[in-house]
Amino acid sequence: MPERLPRQSEDFPAWYVEVVKQAGLAEHGYARGTQIIKAYGYALWENMQAALDRRFKATGHENLYFPLFIPQHMLEREAEHVEGFAPEVAVVTYGGGEELDEPLIVRPTSEAIIWSTYARWVQSYRDLPLLYNQWCNVVRWEMRTRLFLRTSEFLWQEGHTAHARAEEAREEALRMLEVYREVAEDELAIPVLTGRKSESEKFPGAVTTYAIEGLMRDGRALQCGTSHFLGQNFARAYDVRFLNAAGEQEYAWGTSWGFSTRMVGGVIMAHGDDAGLRLPPRIAPVQVVIVPIYRSDAERSEVLEAAARLHAALSGNGVRVRVDDRDQYRPGHKFNEWELKGVPIRIELGPRDVRADQAVVVPRAGGGKRPEATAAVIAGMAAWLEDVQRTLYREALDFREANTHEAPDLATMRDGIEGDGGLWVGPWCGDEECEHKVTEETRATIRVLPLDDDAAGTCVVCGRPATARAVWARAY
Ligand SMILES: [Zn+2]
């Protein structure tokens, strides 16, 4: 039997830890800060990967792969980038039984090695744009670990593109931000805010960092993906020049963008409830589980036969379906377990259902447990899964709207953030001093500066005219 979960409202972090463990998503690794992603968690990640990868390819990108180790001198060329990553970098100094002549950096991100290589690949404007992505692991030393959300090693994709013109690179960064928004909202059912980061929150080495931000059910924000316009910063540092159409040497314009396994944590925290996970059908490893109910051997074979037929029909329609025919557990145990694992639709099938040519359908979100004719189960399943997908998105959006507040002044904002958290939106003068003051008093940071907002009003901290509207929250 799954153990009782802590209630979200009582202890959200403990709830998270128990869900990750009991749903079989991941566990701690042996080296500090590492994690073992278990099959169910990895299947969830694979479905996110597929959703991203087909959009990357549809927008003209190709996958390739760069090495894990970066010679130290290579990382040291972009000053802001080096400084930003120095505290988190892991370095190999020993290999093959001896001290290395030059230490090797275990990649924290791959701009350095990729732009070093682009210097050789780019000669003329005809070589541009380069539109590449890689799926890989990266290492950033972490002292405090939270499975999926903060680990020393994590999986992600990193896109790295080079362009002949600034506007083209800027458009690319925004195009990939839009891909992330679409995947977050349409596949993961997490509504996100899009915008740019403040100077102090941007990626080290970027000109502009764009991000999507989601709100988790404990009132804290989660950065769900970032896309950076790098300007010519990396091209200058790594000498990536090309001959333009007029025969002049120019530095290339760059972008990079990343989406990681922390979004498995995002899905858990955006949709889960006191009974466990609630997975959006489009990315759920198992979309439908059939639980056979029987007492005697005769009933068992009758019910399992019907379950196998239903399994074949649904599976033939492209539904990811499983029959839970384990004999060692009673149906009640199985119901709890699949609820905990967040399977979008459960089908209960007993001898009386088989004789009536029906099954009992139980959606994980939106309610509506009811018997349905077998033919309707087969024909209606795709639409019912879409209902669950829409319900999860709608609930997450309602939650975000209920937890988004206008910040009239700093004191109100501090009390609100101290209370239920949520997103606090207010005018900001653009001064880092005001930004830091808010963070000191509330532990909230600017999550995003929405792109389409106008900057009316006066700064909630200093009262000077605003240059932007900022969205503040405590964040993971
Ligand atoms: Zn101010």
Side-chain angles (χ1 to χ4, degrees), residues 83-197:
E83 196 192 329
F85 280 100
E88 317 188 303
V89 157
V91 186
V92 178
T93 57
Y94 207 79
E98 52 190 57
E99 189 130 336
L100 302 179
D101 292 335
E102 180 179 11
L104 298 172
I105 306 292
V106 183
R107 67 178 160 224
T109 178
S110 300
E111 278 78 4
I113 194 167
I114 288 179
W115 281 88
S116 296
T117 310
Y118 283 178
R120 285 190 289 106
W121 292 358
V122 174
Q123 306 297 331
S124 139
Y125 69 95
R126 292 188 187 85
D127 299 326
L128 295 169
L130 299 182
L131 303 173
Y132 293 126
N133 173 65
Q134 76 171 349
W135 290 97
C136 65
N137 58 344
V138 287
V139 170
R140 297 177 186 177
W141 219 249
E142 291 286 356
M143 299 313 284
R144 290 186 313 142
T145 309
R146 232 191 260 250
L147 292 173
F148 292 115
L149 300 171
R150 192 169 289 279
T151 50
S152 292
E153 180 193 3
F154 58 88
L155 306 181
W156 77 346
Q157 60 69 216
E158 46 179 322
H160 296 274
T161 69
H163 307 262
R165 294 183 308 115
E167 315 84 86
E168 212 184 281
R170 181 79 75 173
E171 280 164 19
E172 164 78 6
L174 288 167
R175 181 179 308 118
M176 300 326 284
L177 185 76
E178 172 58 16
V179 164
Y180 288 160
R181 186 204 61 74
E182 193 180 289
V183 169
E185 297 196 332
D186 296 357
E187 307 274 349
L188 279 52
I190 301 175
V192 291
L193 297 176
T194 60
R196 64 189 165 87
K197 292 284 182 181

Side-chain angles (χ1 to χ4, degrees), residues 28 61 90 137 233 240 363 372 382 447 450:
H28 289 284
H61 303 86
N137 58 344
N233 290 351
V240 181
E372 291 275 2
R447 303 319 306 158

Side-chain angles (χ1 to χ4, degrees), residues 61-77:
H61 303 86
E62 290 176 291
N63 288 333
L64 45 53
Y65 188 79
F66 278 80
L68 170 68
F69 297 126
I70 306 174
Q72 192 171 39
H73 76 271
M74 215 173 247
L75 194 70
E76 284 168 355
R77 293 171 65 172

Side-chain angles (χ1 to χ4, degrees), residues 308-325:
R309 282 196 302 273
L310 189 53
H311 178 275
L314 288 172
S315 165
N317 285 352
V319 176
R320 294 189 289 275
V321 54
R322 187 179 294 182
V323 178
D324 185 354
D325 58 1

Side-chain angles (χ1 to χ4, degrees), residues 428-429 431 434 459 461-464:
W428 173 50
C429 63
D431 193 331
C434 289
C459 177
V461 183
C462 68
R464 283 178 291 174

Side-chain angles (χ1 to χ4, degrees), residues 276-307:
L277 292 175
R278 297 193 306 166
L279 296 181
R282 291 192 187 167
I283 54 161
V286 179
Q287 295 172 311
V288 176
V289 65
I290 303 171
V291 179
I293 302 167
Y294 47 82
R295 288 204 175 78
S296 64
D297 281 349
E299 282 181 0
R300 181 177 185 277
S301 58
E302 181 188 16
V303 170
L304 285 184
E305 233 170 74

Side-chain angles (χ1 to χ4, degrees), residues 215 218-220 403 405 415-424 473-474:
L215 185 64
D218 62 346
R220 289 173 71 175
N403 287 280
H405 315 280
D415 293 347
I417 288 170
E418 205 61 59
D420 289 335
L423 303 172
W424 288 78
R474 284 186 188 165

